[in-house]
Amino acid sequence: MAAISQLRDLLRPPDDVKFVLEATLVTSSESSNSNPTQDTRNRRLLAAVAHKDDWNLTEEGCLLVCKFKPGLNGQAEELEIQKVFPIYGQFSIVISQMRRGTVNLQPALLEQPRSVITLSVNPAEGLPNDAQAPMLFTYDVQGLKNLVAECKRLKEACDVEANAVVNLASSTTYFSWVRPYLEKSSTIASLTTMVQDLRLINKPLIERLSPACAGTTGDDHADLQLIRDDWVRVNARRMATKGRRSLTLRVGTFNVNGKMPSQDLSAWIQGSAGGTAAASTTKRDSIATLLPPVKTVSPFSLREFIPNPFDWVAPKTPGEEKGLEEEESLPRRVDVSDPDDPDMLVLGFQELDLSTEALLYSTRTTREDAWTLAVFAALGEKAVKYEKLVSKQLVGMLLIVMVKKSLKSCFGDVRTTAIGAGILGVMGNKGGTAVRLTFTPPGSSTTAESEKASESSTPLGSTLLTFVNAHLAAFDEMAEKRNADFQDLSKRLLFESSNSAGESEGSEQAAEGGVGSGNDGSMFSRPFSVYEADVLFWMVRLAFVPPAVTGEYADDGRILRDEERENASKFEALLRFDQLKKAMKENKAFVDFREHPITHMPSYRFSPGLMMDSLGYDLKRKPAWTDRILSMCSPLCRLDQVSYTSHSEIVMSDHRPVSAEFSLTVDEYDTESLQFNIRQLFQDMDHLDGDGTHSRGSLKIEDTYVDFEKISYGSRVERKVVVTNTSKAPCAFRFVPVQLDNPIHPEWLDINRMMGVLLPNESTHITLTAHVDDEIAAMLNQRSSDLSGTLILHTVLGKDHFISVSAEYQYTCFANKLSRLTRLRGPIRSMESPHALLPENHAMNAPREIMRVINWMMSNSTNTEEMFLQPRDDKMVANIRECLDTGAEFPYAPDSQDPKIPLAFATTLLQFLDSLVDPVIPASLHAQCVEMTNRDEAFELLDALPPVSVNVWISLTAFLHFLCQGTKAELHAEKIATVFAPILLRDDPASLNPPISPNRKRKFLLSEPLPPGPRKLPLLENLLDMPTSHEWFTFAEWGKKYGDIMSVSVFGQHMVILNSAKHAVEMLEKRSSIYSDRPIMQMGGEMVGWKNTLVLVPYGERFRNYRKMFHQVIGTPSAMSAYHPIEEIETKRFLQRILAQPDDLAAHIRRTAGAIILRISHGYTVEEKEDPFVTLADEATEQFALSTAPGGFLVNLIPPLQYVPSWFPGAGFKKTAAEWAKTLSEMADEPYQYVKRQMAYGSAEPSFISRFLESGDVSPEEEFDIKWSAASLYSGGADTTVSAIYALFLAALLHPDAANKAREEMDRVIGMERLPTFADREKLPYTNALALEVLRWHCVTPTGVPHRVTEDNVYNGYFIPKGALIIPNIWYMAHDPNVYKDPFAFNPERFLGSAPEQDPRDICFGFGRRICPGRVLADASLFISCAMTLAVFDITKHESADGIVDEPKQEQTTGTISHLKPFKCNIVPRSQKVAALINAED
């Protein structure tokens, strides 16, 4: 009878089944039309079980009520013990004839036997008041008689006193053998079929045992069951395994942000181009070679095969386990014919549908179908190999499983589930979907094995795979909500068992009434957790991102954009604050999950257009690794991850898809062999608890005293303890602590085999290893050198054994604090106690150990080029360390020529510094170190360091400087800095700030500081110091305090300010190849659009095209001479306008400047009244000055402000930018279109534009350059000239003597008969000098336009970092008292004579390759305006009608282009003759 065989698998030896009876439970539903005998839910098996005790020759019995359950994975039905009735006391079976109406007499039932007997079981302790025993009925009258007779015999054999009640949970006298059946003990059936919870079995077995300590045992019975079950399960599986198969999976996750597929997904589905699949196969094959070998073993050879059956307990890493067999067996691919492509594709999608309809209710599969189709399309020609096995969608979460068609038959028992975590926990787009399935390896690939397999119907064992696709709460501040959602999903994501759908247990439970002692019957009927699997994959979209950080890393994207930092360093810096890692570490979520090291860029958040940075990330959000793939694997399988990457080429969403490839190695075994092995191993472990033999396990320890003698830093000492099982039964042991809250062993000692099982007369070696590393030495240096202690070896269900260990610790100067070393009275080894230190006020300046090593190397090292860079002799290092600890002399002669000796000293110094408890420079000061810019800040840093650190720092850096100066090896200093930087500036893993990049640490040791400047505030740096108006005055004051080269920084943007023309020439001209770029000015350049003009166009091809065109037209005096007639004509018209309307001076100047530029650039003659083009130019250039002024707009300092909404408070600049952008666009386009129309009509005058358009063959790119270069000439030339000429009138008004000298010169040289021309310039030195003085006296561009350095540079002892802005303070250069005598006086004579002062044209037009290309034109315009104006007009102070004289002042406006504030003056012709000359026609 199959039922008896199954029942025996549930029993523990020596329990025996005497009689069984099949019966049916009578429930309240029996009045229905169903046939109760055919309902498996009501079928029961009653069994009389006897237990004989061979020791005291007693016999006890119980009645087991077992329930039939459908088998897992399509296997035969199984039994479970539902209730246990010990047979004693009031136990009885009540029999009666079934009432006529009890059974429904349908035709199908008439064939049943007519004799129907009911029975009920009364428990030994009697029925509670008003309780009724559950009723069953049976047709097997003879079987019932046998059962009742056996129960009667067992009751008579029982010697429990009458009216006694046995407490089965605690009794050790009666029925103790029943307890395992009450406690749901493991059985052969459960060990064969039941999958364990991954969260449990992945914990070391020692951690799963009950708490215990010396003298206080834990739950030894439960511990024994755990030990036995794990031992049996692992070894039975190992013995049943015939081989191994390798299944490959490609798992992907993609948050599609509500988008439909619009791109090729092949990079995600198949991997990157270039044969990723093949490469993955190669990697998988290489991994396979590391797998441990397997050998088929008979269960009868167990003792020979496993000398110690508990070897598997010791944790092993992949590739570390040593095979017990000599021949290796590699796993075979599941699909040998197609090894390059994955066997399974598992894809998780999030935010598939963001519509309101989907959030509430939707059953449409439109989006699922679209994405499924896109996946097949991405497979290309390989699509024919695959088919969709199953999918599950919940709102925006979709999980698709695809398998190769050739392997579809290998997958079965497919189940799905889904649960929401959104609104009310059931709705919204947060939650999870899951798929559960089994994989059974296909038949053997060899012919012989195939034939053998075909002859046997034994089913192969299956591996259970579970896949979860989850979407958790967003935003980094919702970390706790995410953790709670994860825990909720872990509880509520359940798969219904195959027999539980639609099944109600309520009536059954009511019928059985809970009478008697036993299980609750839920072992097989309950739902399955997602963790009850052999392998679990979890694809999740979450917002686990680095929290807000300060200082250098306030912008996480900045770390990613750091081109000088390796990706591994970038990721390490950011992942230190990854909330997923933190949650795992704090046991709040994804505990014991594994994730492959992240080596790809963050997958979120990307943004199109202007809102992204250079890497494509959204400037408003922090980049984050939000799309993750994690896994858990049973110890019975092996899961190797081959790849883990994101796919930046798929850009349809704000996320990037992530994929991972896995190789899953599973055992190839048959279930019958497994069951047979389990049965045999159960028998081997039968008396592990001593029952039946009455022989408890007894251990003998050969030597209970272990002496390690002296242990020292960096050494390992091993001792072995032999343990023997001297009893006749298997024995389990474990180490326990002395007290519950103590560790099992001291930190300096490791125990190899913390627990184990020994068969009778078997021995094993337990290895004790003493070791001292930095962390342990740091603790032992503070304690007594006597390390004596006791280890407790507990025999489970037996006594404790005490093993005494002793060791004498040798104190070391390594792994101490610098402050402690300075308080040592002598060598550390001579200390009487760890607390025998000098008082703090008598401490030494620096540790003697460091000074000894440094002094020896400075005095005796000859081969300095290899020190710190070449391998060392470890024995020599140990000798040097011993001398430092003991104070002994170094055993190396000063004149020794052995090159290994200095290398050993160098290594000792490095190891010493690296072992310090605290680094020389604390982690809290690292940011201050790399931001240090001047001498004052250096002293501030030293003040912040502990005194001992200062002394060590000075001594060490002096030695390193000496070392680097003594060698000519290339890049030697850089190499030394690379070695020392991570040691002297060691990171603190517990710090809340990201670590400084290794490159910046190295530069701190190497490079000169930044130029000095005002002290920086945390985070804001110099933001509050930046002037908002007339910045050149502030820069000049800073220059007096900090020098001609000084610097400030705002939010990481360095600005170097030059207050000396000498430095400007050296940097901006002589190093122009790296100092000629322009900054990105958010307001003027990006938002308004001035980046298209020459002044702000980035250094590159377009910039060179612009300058080339300028140079051809107006770049030289000879080229400019062609336009002198235009200058003279328009300036004469300017005189005429002043003569007619002298009060409109500013308007006349603007019209004239615009007229000259427009004639040259566009061949356009301005109108006498309000000219639209001139008006546009005036407006645009005024806006340029305001939009580019340093400190003028906060958005220039904080670029992300450009993305704030227009309605946001303080965002009025966005409206201003939009208006100014429109003005600039019109200024560039309208005059350009005018020229094109004139050229089309054939009436265009020669001009800058017509010259380059007349060829007719102009590309759109060339046309763009022509239009905007002309606009640059038009806008730049007009406004700067206006400012200079207006200053001429104020200079003539305030300094009439200088103006009169110019008039006298012109009267003498030219006379009064004509106006001056360019031909007269060489004859008018004073007039020319006056024009130069005007240029110097009033700087049109006081700070110029900033340059940007394109690579790191060192100038004049200062480090100029890449990306720094270089701002020349032209105003101060033109008023530098070291260059110009009495700089604030207006004195044209300074440019005359034999020793003229510096020509201001060398300063005022800029520097290097960014010098103003229209400087020749500007110079000409200023000279001709100066000469003609002073030749014909007298300029005097304005006097009001009441006789009050207006006293004008030299007051400038703020802006890149600075104008004088309006003033009043009287402008009158010098004579009537002159007036006539002005109006005379040419």
Side-chain angles (χ1 to χ4, degrees):
M1 183 180 180
I4 294 179
S5 177
Q6 291 186 22
L7 182 60
R8 283 175 176 156
D9 285 345
L10 299 178
L11 300 182
R12 305 174 72 243
D15 303 343
D16 186 29
V17 180
K18 296 299 183 179
F19 289 99
V20 297
L21 174 71
E22 286 201 29
T24 302
L25 179 68
V26 179
T27 69
S28 60
S29 61
E30 300 304 339
S31 60
S32 66
N33 294 330
S34 62
N35 183 351
T37 63
Q38 296 179 359
D39 191 342
T40 58
R41 293 177 298 172
N42 297 331
R43 291 178 60 204
R44 298 292 183 269
L45 185 72
L46 279 63
V49 176
H51 173 86
K52 287 187 176 182
D53 192 322
D54 296 335
W55 181 262
N56 55 22
L57 302 178
T58 62
E59 184 178 18
E60 295 176 338
C62 70
L63 180 70
L64 300 183
V65 180
C66 303
K67 183 176 180 180
F68 289 90
K69 292 292 181 180
L72 293 176
N73 308 329
Q75 298 180 13
E77 63 181 1
E78 301 168 347
L79 285 177
E80 64 160 326
I81 298 174
Q82 191 173 30
K83 297 200 176 295
V84 181
F85 294 93
I87 300 176
Y88 76 97
Q90 300 181 40
F91 173 87
S92 64
I93 299 178
V94 181
I95 304 174
S96 64
Q97 183 75 31
M98 195 168 191
R99 293 194 302 272
R100 184 179 181 87
T102 303
V103 179
N104 191 340
L105 299 178
Q106 293 191 11
L109 303 177
L110 296 178
E111 299 177 0
Q112 299 288 346
R114 295 183 178 274
S115 298
V116 181
I117 305 298
T118 64
L119 68 149
S120 58
V121 181
N122 291 331
E125 63 272 18
L127 289 169
N129 294 334
D130 301 326
Q132 293 184 352
M135 183 178 295
L136 302 98
F137 69 88
T138 182
Y139 301 106
D140 186 358
V141 177
Q142 185 58 43
L144 178 60
K145 290 181 180 179
N146 295 336
L147 180 72
V148 171
E150 179 63 20
C151 289
K152 181 178 180 182
R153 186 189 71 81
L154 291 172
K155 184 175 181 182
E156 292 174 351
C158 179
D159 58 0
V160 177
E161 296 181 2
N163 300 322
V165 176
V166 177
N167 186 343
L168 298 180
S170 59
S171 174
T172 58
T173 304
Y174 301 106
F175 295 100
S176 61
W177 59 276
V178 175
R179 189 180 301 114
Y181 305 125
L182 304 177
E183 298 174 345
K184 298 184 184 178
S185 296
S186 301
T187 63
I188 295 175
S190 65
L191 288 174
T192 305
T193 60
M194 192 172 73
V195 179
Q196 292 183 289
D197 191 308
L198 288 170
R199 293 169 295 187
L200 180 66
I201 61 174
N202 276 311
K203 291 183 178 180
L205 183 57
I206 190 71
E207 295 181 11
R208 287 185 265 159
L209 301 181
S210 62
C213 65
T216 303
T217 60
D219 189 343
D220 277 2
H221 286 280
D223 292 343
L224 279 174
Q225 181 175 325
L226 280 175
I227 294 171
R228 182 202 63 196
D229 289 354
D230 275 21
W231 186 87
V232 169
R233 182 182 289 108
V234 171
N235 286 287
R237 177 73 166 266
R238 181 180 296 173
M239 294 159 58
T241 298
K242 300 182 296 183
R244 288 168 299 156
R245 304 298 290 270
S246 174
L247 179 74
T248 58
L249 306 91
R250 185 172 181 85
V251 181
T253 181
F254 190 9
N255 185 309
V256 300
N257 196 29
K259 305 291 193 303
M260 294 291 277
S262 60
Q263 254 188 295
D264 179 18
L265 302 177
S266 58
W268 180 46
I269 301 302
Q270 296 193 57
S272 303
T276 297
S280 298
T281 301
T282 303
K283 178 70 176 292
R284 285 191 294 267
D285 291 343
S286 67
I287 290 175
T289 62
L290 300 176
L291 294 173
V294 170
K295 179 179 178 182
T296 303
V297 182
S298 165
F300 300 105
S301 62
L302 176 64
R303 289 170 178 80
E304 291 76 20
F305 173 63
I306 311 177
N308 190 313
F310 227 75
D311 283 342
W312 61 272
V313 174
K316 297 179 177 65
T317 57
E320 185 180 278
E321 183 178 356
K322 300 297 182 181
L324 297 173
E325 305 79 10
E326 295 181 358
E327 298 180 359
E328 293 191 354
S329 174
L330 301 180
R332 292 182 293 111
R333 284 294 306 271
V334 168
D335 187 0
V336 180
S337 63
D338 182 20
D340 292 340
D341 296 318
D343 303 317
M344 295 184 68
L345 292 173
V346 184
L347 306 173
F349 297 87
Q350 304 88 36
E351 294 189 354
L352 196 74
D353 193 344
L354 297 178
S355 65
T356 304
E357 175 190 0
L359 294 176
L360 297 176
Y361 177 79
S362 177
T363 59
R364 294 186 300 175
T365 62
T366 305
R367 291 179 177 267
E368 176 183 342
D369 295 341
W371 281 101
T372 302
L373 184 62
V375 171
F376 276 105
L379 286 169
E381 61 184 13
K382 299 178 182 179
V384 296
K385 300 180 182 180
Y386 295 90
E387 67 175 276
K388 185 171 78 171
L389 181 67
V390 65
S391 65
K392 182 65 176 179
Q393 181 178 358
L394 175 67
V395 191
M397 293 160 288
L398 170 65
L399 182 58
I400 299 176
V401 178
M402 303 172 68
V403 299
K404 285 182 177 176
K405 294 178 180 178
S406 60
L407 299 175
K408 184 179 179 182
S409 60
C410 299
F411 299 94
D413 194 22
V414 180
R415 308 182 191 188
T416 64
T417 187
I419 202 71
I423 304 172
L424 301 179
V426 296
M427 299 170 65
N429 65 350
K430 305 293 188 295
T433 58
V435 170
R436 183 179 193 264
L437 51 84
T438 60
F439 168 72
T440 305
S444 301
S445 58
T446 64
T447 304
E449 290 175 341
S450 297
E451 292 177 357
K452 183 178 179 181
S454 64
E455 295 174 358
S456 174
S457 59
T458 302
L460 291 177
S462 299
T463 300
L464 210 160
L465 311 179
T466 299
F467 304 92
V468 178
N469 175 37
H471 189 182
L472 303 182
F475 306 112
D476 52 357
E477 63 270 15
M478 299 182 68
E480 294 303 323
K481 176 64 168 63
R482 266 192 305 279
N483 296 337
D485 283 352
F486 168 78
Q487 299 296 344
D488 184 53
L489 291 180
S490 295
K491 294 177 182 178
R492 297 172 58 214
L493 267 177
L494 301 172
F495 298 98
E496 293 296 332
S497 61
S498 58
N499 68 308
S500 62
E503 179 179 322
S504 173
E505 298 283 350
S507 60
E508 182 179 331
Q509 293 171 355
E512 299 192 48
V515 176
S517 301
N519 297 325
D520 61 3
S522 62
M523 183 182 296
F524 295 97
S525 61
R526 63 173 177 78
F528 296 100
S529 163
V530 293
Y531 294 95
E532 292 179 274
D534 291 307
V535 187
L536 169 61
F537 298 91
W538 198 301
M539 296 148 279
V540 61
R541 189 280 180 188
L542 32 70
F544 285 144
V545 299
V549 291
T550 59
E552 178 191 10
Y553 300 103
D555 175 13
D556 297 336
R558 180 177 174 183
I559 302 177
L560 297 173
R561 294 189 295 270
D562 188 350
E563 297 177 358
E564 298 181 359
R565 193 168 186 162
E566 295 293 333
N567 278 351
S569 173
K570 299 176 187 178
F571 299 161
E572 178 187 1
L574 291 178
L575 287 171
R576 176 180 292 189
F577 305 94
D578 180 58
Q579 291 184 358
L580 174 57
K581 304 291 186 187
K582 181 181 179 182
M584 295 170 71
K585 185 176 181 180
E586 296 177 352
N587 294 331
K588 293 183 177 180
F590 293 100
V591 180
D592 294 329
F593 275 83
R594 292 188 302 175
E595 184 181 25
H596 195 272
I598 293 178
T599 58
H600 56 267
M601 297 290 281
S603 59
Y604 177 81
R605 176 185 183 188
F606 290 85
S607 174
L610 296 176
M611 300 176 68
M612 66 180 182
D613 64 9
S614 58
L615 297 176
Y617 292 105
D618 191 333
L619 289 170
K620 297 185 293 183
R621 300 288 290 272
K622 291 178 289 187
W625 288 274
T626 61
D627 306 273
R628 312 287 274 268
I629 299 174
L630 302 98
S631 63
M632 294 182 78
C633 182
S634 163
L636 297 177
C637 302
R638 172 164 175 165
L639 185 66
D640 293 294
Q641 189 160 346
V642 179
S643 67
Y644 193 25
T645 186
S646 64
H647 301 274
S648 58
E649 55 271 71
I650 300 176
V651 298
M652 67 181 77
S653 170
D654 55 357
H655 290 250
R656 296 294 179 262
V658 172
S659 67
E661 286 190 329
F662 296 89
S663 176
L664 175 63
T665 301
V666 300
D667 292 337
E668 199 173 25
Y669 66 95
D670 65 75
T671 55
E672 285 190 2
S673 295
L674 182 66
Q675 292 177 356
F676 179 80
N677 294 336
I678 289 176
R679 187 175 292 109
Q680 294 298 318
L681 295 177
F682 250 67
Q683 292 179 0
D684 277 2
M685 292 292 105
D686 176 25
H687 300 299
L688 183 64
D689 57 2
D691 288 348
T693 64
H694 290 271
S695 174
R696 300 293 186 187
S698 177
L699 296 179
K700 176 184 177 182
I701 302 176
E702 290 190 2
D703 190 353
T704 58
Y705 176 73
V706 179
D707 186 8
F708 287 93
E709 300 177 349
K710 295 180 179 181
I711 62 172
S712 56
Y713 175 81
S715 64
R716 298 179 67 86
V717 180
E718 285 190 359
R719 297 287 187 270
K720 293 185 181 297
V721 175
V722 180
V723 180
T724 304
N725 179 8
T726 59
S727 67
K728 296 180 180 180
C731 180
F733 66 86
R734 59 182 290 204
F735 280 93
V736 297
V738 175
Q739 295 180 344
L740 283 176
D741 56 349
N742 287 356
I744 293 177
H745 55 82
E747 62 278 344
W748 56 270
L749 184 66
D750 284 339
I751 303 176
N752 184 8
R753 190 162 305 157
M754 295 280 290
M755 55 182 297
V757 171
L758 293 176
L759 299 176
N761 300 317
E762 185 180 10
S763 298
T764 188
H765 289 83
I766 297 177
T767 303
L768 306 180
T769 305
H771 64 98
V772 181
D773 57 18
D774 287 338
E775 183 178 356
I776 295 173
M779 293 184 288
L780 297 184
N781 283 333
Q782 308 285 333
R783 302 177 186 172
S784 169
S785 60
D786 183 3
L787 301 182
S788 299
T790 302
L791 302 177
I792 312 298
L793 182 65
H794 171 65
T795 308
V796 182
L797 287 178
K799 67 178 183 178
D800 292 340
H801 299 269
F802 298 88
I803 302 175
S804 298
V805 295
S806 65
E808 181 183 353
Y809 175 62
Q810 305 296 292
Y811 290 119
T812 179
C813 58
F814 283 59
N816 276 280
K817 290 186 176 183
L818 287 173
S819 58
R820 185 170 187 267
L821 293 174
T822 59
R823 297 177 59 196
L824 296 177
R825 297 179 181 273
I828 194 169
R829 194 71 59 79
S830 64
M831 284 195 312
E832 295 180 359
S833 78
H835 307 295
L837 302 175
L838 293 170
E840 290 187 8
N841 58 352
H842 288 81
M844 295 181 293
N845 292 329
R848 60 172 62 85
E849 294 80 7
I850 292 182
M851 304 312 299
R852 284 188 67 188
V853 174
I854 291 178
N855 290 337
W856 192 96
M857 288 190 290
M858 291 190 71
S859 303
N860 302 292
S861 296
T862 55
N863 183 14
T864 60
E865 292 184 2
E866 295 184 351
M867 291 175 65
F868 304 108
L869 304 178
Q870 294 297 323
R872 77 284 182 184
D873 185 312
D874 288 334
K875 186 175 181 180
M876 285 186 176
V877 172
N879 289 338
I880 296 171
R881 182 171 60 240
E882 185 70 11
C883 292
L884 294 176
D885 291 340
T886 61
E889 293 296 326
F890 296 126
Y892 308 110
D895 56 351
S896 174
Q897 299 300 312
D898 187 348
K900 295 181 181 179
I901 297 176
L903 296 181
F905 273 92
T907 300
T908 303
L909 178 61
L910 284 174
Q911 291 181 355
F912 178 87
L913 294 172
D914 197 37
S915 73
L916 293 173
V917 175
D918 298 321
V920 176
I921 299 181
S924 59
L925 298 177
H926 289 183
Q928 185 176 343
C929 289
V930 298
E931 295 294 339
M932 190 176 62
T933 60
N934 54 56
R935 184 182 181 86
D936 291 340
E937 291 182 358
F939 280 112
E940 290 177 6
L941 174 63
L942 292 177
D943 288 341
L945 287 173
V948 63
S949 294
V950 174
N951 296 328
V952 170
W953 175 260
I954 293 174
S955 301
L956 186 60
T957 52
F959 165 67
L960 294 179
H961 180 76
F962 162 79
L963 186 69
C964 294
Q965 291 294 321
T967 178
K968 297 181 180 179
E970 185 177 2
L971 301 177
H972 186 70
E974 285 80 0
K975 294 176 182 178
I976 294 297
T978 302
V979 172
F980 273 89
I983 295 177
L984 296 179
L985 288 86
R986 190 170 70 233
D987 293 330
D988 179 7
S991 173
L992 297 178
N993 290 322
I996 302 299
S997 69
N999 193 45
R1000 297 197 72 187
K1001 292 179 182 178
R1002 183 181 63 85
K1003 287 182 177 179
F1004 165 66
L1005 295 183
L1006 277 176
S1007 66
E1008 295 78 359
L1010 288 168
R1015 183 171 183 173
K1016 299 175 180 62
L1017 297 176
L1019 185 62
L1020 297 178
E1021 297 183 289
N1022 296 117
L1023 176 63
L1024 302 181
D1025 298 317
M1026 293 301 294
T1028 56
S1029 65
H1030 299 89
E1031 56 276 0
W1032 51 91
F1033 295 141
T1034 303
F1035 294 166
E1037 290 300 317
W1038 284 348
K1040 295 176 183 179
K1041 182 176 182 180
Y1042 302 111
D1044 291 341
I1045 307 176
M1046 49 86 58
S1047 68
V1048 291
S1049 60
V1050 177
F1051 297 123
Q1053 175 61 66
H1054 295 287
M1055 289 172 274
V1056 178
I1057 299 165
L1058 306 178
N1059 282 301
S1060 166
K1062 174 187 175 183
H1063 295 312
V1065 170
E1066 288 291 328
M1067 295 174 70
L1068 305 182
E1069 290 189 9
K1070 295 184 179 181
R1071 305 186 187 192
S1072 59
S1073 61
I1074 62 172
Y1075 280 95
S1076 295
D1077 201 11
R1078 287 292 196 214
I1080 297 176
M1081 306 189 76
Q1082 297 299 331
M1083 185 65 178
E1086 301 297 316
M1087 301 178 70
V1088 178
W1090 285 96
K1091 66 180 180 180
N1092 294 322
T1093 63
L1094 179 65
V1095 67
L1096 289 183
V1097 69
Y1099 184 69
E1101 188 62 29
R1102 174 157 289 158
F1103 169 76
R1104 287 187 284 270
N1105 289 340
Y1106 284 8
R1107 288 191 62 86
K1108 181 179 179 181
M1109 289 186 284
F1110 271 81
H1111 185 75
Q1112 292 176 15
V1113 178
I1114 58 171
T1116 63
S1118 60
M1120 183 62 212
S1121 63
Y1123 299 100
H1124 283 171
I1126 294 176
E1127 291 264 9
E1128 293 169 353
I1129 292 171
E1130 292 299 335
T1131 304
K1132 184 177 181 181
R1133 291 178 181 173
F1134 167 65
L1135 301 179
Q1136 292 170 352
R1137 296 185 188 105
I1138 292 180
L1139 183 63
Q1141 294 178 310
D1143 292 337
D1144 293 337
L1145 174 62
H1148 299 328
I1149 294 174
R1150 287 192 174 277
R1151 184 175 290 108
T1152 300
I1156 294 172
I1157 297 297
L1158 284 170
R1159 283 284 297 275
I1160 296 173
S1161 62
H1162 295 78
Y1164 174 79
T1165 303
V1166 300
E1167 300 174 5
E1168 280 302 316
K1169 296 183 179 180
E1170 290 293 330
D1171 187 274
F1173 290 172
V1174 174
T1175 301
L1176 273 175
D1178 291 344
E1179 293 179 2
T1181 51
E1182 180 182 359
Q1183 294 163 4
F1184 168 78
L1186 295 175
S1187 65
T1188 58
F1193 286 90
L1194 193 59
V1195 70
N1196 286 332
L1197 301 176
I1198 311 176
L1201 289 178
Q1202 64 182 305
Y1203 301 116
V1204 301
S1206 300
W1207 49 263
F1208 197 80
F1213 67 90
K1214 297 196 70 174
K1215 180 179 179 181
T1216 301
E1219 294 172 353
W1220 291 359
K1222 180 180 179 183
T1223 303
L1224 176 61
S1225 178
E1226 292 173 352
M1227 185 206 76
D1229 195 59
E1230 291 184 8
Y1232 180 75
Q1233 295 301 326
Y1234 164 81
V1235 177
K1236 293 187 69 175
R1237 289 194 299 270
Q1238 294 298 311
M1239 292 182 68
Y1241 298 150
S1243 58
E1245 291 187 12
S1247 66
F1248 181 94
I1249 291 178
S1250 64
R1251 174 173 179 171
F1252 295 107
L1253 287 180
E1254 60 189 3
S1255 65
D1257 186 17
V1258 179
S1259 68
E1261 187 72 16
E1262 292 172 332
E1263 189 171 359
F1264 182 92
D1265 289 350
I1266 294 169
K1267 179 176 77 172
W1268 281 100
S1269 59
S1272 303
L1273 175 62
Y1274 165 43
S1275 59
D1279 203 43
T1280 53
T1281 304
V1282 167
S1283 179
I1285 295 176
Y1286 197 58
L1288 166 65
F1289 282 83
L1290 182 61
L1293 183 63
L1294 295 177
H1295 307 284
D1297 292 344
N1300 289 333
K1301 287 183 180 180
R1303 293 188 186 101
E1304 292 173 358
E1305 181 183 62
M1306 285 185 284
D1307 291 346
R1308 184 178 65 253
V1309 174
I1310 300 171
M1312 304 289 288
E1313 305 299 327
R1314 66 178 177 86
L1315 294 173
T1317 66
F1318 284 102
D1320 302 318
R1321 187 168 190 175
E1322 297 296 328
K1323 306 172 187 176
L1324 302 174
Y1326 188 88
T1327 304
N1328 190 59
L1330 187 143
L1332 295 179
E1333 181 68 346
V1334 169
L1335 192 64
R1336 184 202 70 82
W1337 181 69
H1338 168 70
C1339 289
V1340 175
T1341 55
T1343 57
V1345 180
H1347 293 228
R1348 179 178 177 272
V1349 62
T1350 56
E1351 62 182 58
D1352 290 345
N1353 190 240
V1354 175
Y1355 172 74
N1356 203 37
Y1358 294 121
F1359 173 62
I1360 311 298
K1362 174 184 176 181
L1365 304 186
I1366 313 300
I1367 303 175
N1369 189 358
I1370 294 175
W1371 177 87
Y1372 184 76
M1373 296 176 191
H1375 294 77
D1376 187 349
N1378 297 318
V1379 177
Y1380 299 103
K1381 182 180 179 181
D1382 195 7
F1384 293 97
F1386 189 86
N1387 180 19
E1389 281 90 348
R1390 69 176 75 247
F1391 303 114
L1392 301 175
S1394 59
E1397 296 178 351
Q1398 183 175 1
D1399 192 328
R1401 288 174 295 189
D1402 296 338
I1403 299 172
C1404 296
F1405 291 114
F1407 301 92
R1409 300 180 188 182
R1410 285 290 182 173
I1411 194 170
C1412 174
R1415 61 191 180 282
V1416 178
L1417 172 60
D1419 175 59
S1421 297
L1422 181 58
F1423 167 77
I1424 200 65
S1425 297
C1426 179
M1428 284 190 172
T1429 298
L1430 296 180
V1432 299
F1433 288 123
D1434 284 326
I1435 305 170
T1436 59
K1437 296 179 181 179
H1438 177 266
E1439 185 176 341
S1440 63
D1442 53 2
I1444 299 177
V1445 177
D1446 290 331
E1447 295 292 342
K1449 296 181 180 179
Q1450 185 186 1
E1451 295 179 334
Q1452 293 178 253
T1453 62
T1454 296
T1456 302
I1457 301 174
S1458 179
H1459 294 270
L1460 290 171
K1461 292 185 178 180
F1463 59 89
K1464 292 182 178 181
C1465 64
N1466 293 326
I1467 306 174
V1468 296
R1470 296 175 63 194
S1471 65
Q1472 290 297 322
K1473 182 178 180 180
V1474 169
L1477 182 62
I1478 293 172
N1479 289 321
E1481 295 184 1
D1482 296 333

